[in-house]
Amino acid sequence: MSHHQPPYYGIAASEQAANIEAELAQLPTPFPSYQLQITIAAQLYTIDIWQLCFRLCFIGYDQAGGTAQVNTALFDETGDIDWLQLDEATQYIVSEALRDVDAKVSLGTGTVEH
């Protein structure tokens, strides 16, 4: 039995990348319900849930440049989702975002964007 990688696995070919970018451009822009907003001592801290997802799913995600590589560590050798790895990576990224908020609270600075 031949194991082949699904089309989303690894770096997309340039034609695939153009198609993916065109499809992503059709998605709606996130609105406030996709943001976690925390108010501490009259300061508002915002964590963008989409940005957390992008950081989880992609390696080297560059929001400004729009470039990234799929995080293949989230898949097992057959191309299925490795749920344990996904859970661990999610815990790390969320903990990191909350640590950043905590650091901003300690410094008394404004909004945190992730």
Side-chain angles (χ1 to χ4, degrees):
M1 181 161 112
S2 171
H3 290 283
H4 67 282
Q5 294 178 340
Y8 55 79
Y9 198 86
I11 300 173
S14 60
E15 183 177 309
Q16 288 174 312
N19 290 338
I20 291 169
E21 287 175 11
E23 288 181 35
L24 289 174
Q26 300 302 312
L27 293 175
T29 302
F31 54 89
S33 68
Y34 296 116
Q35 296 178 344
L36 172 62
Q37 295 186 334
I38 304 168
T39 303
I40 302 171
Q43 289 283 341
L44 178 64
Y45 302 91
T46 302
I47 298 174
D48 185 326
I49 303 301
W50 280 110
Q51 293 303 316
L52 293 181
C53 292
F54 295 150
R55 289 179 52 210
L56 174 66
C57 296
F58 301 111
I59 296 171
Y61 173 66
D62 176 12
Q63 184 178 1
T67 60
Q69 178 182 350
V70 173
N71 184 356
T72 57
L74 301 177
F75 301 98
D76 65 19
E77 62 278 351
T78 66
D80 290 331
I81 295 171
D82 182 338
W83 293 102
L84 181 59
Q85 182 65 27
L86 178 66
D87 184 51
E88 290 174 359
T90 301
Q91 286 180 12
Y92 175 79
I93 288 172
V94 170
S95 294
E96 186 179 67
L98 293 174
R99 275 192 307 273
D100 287 350
V101 168
D102 189 46
K104 294 290 184 178
V105 169
S106 296
L107 295 173
T109 58
T111 302
V112 175
E113 294 286 341
H114 270 277

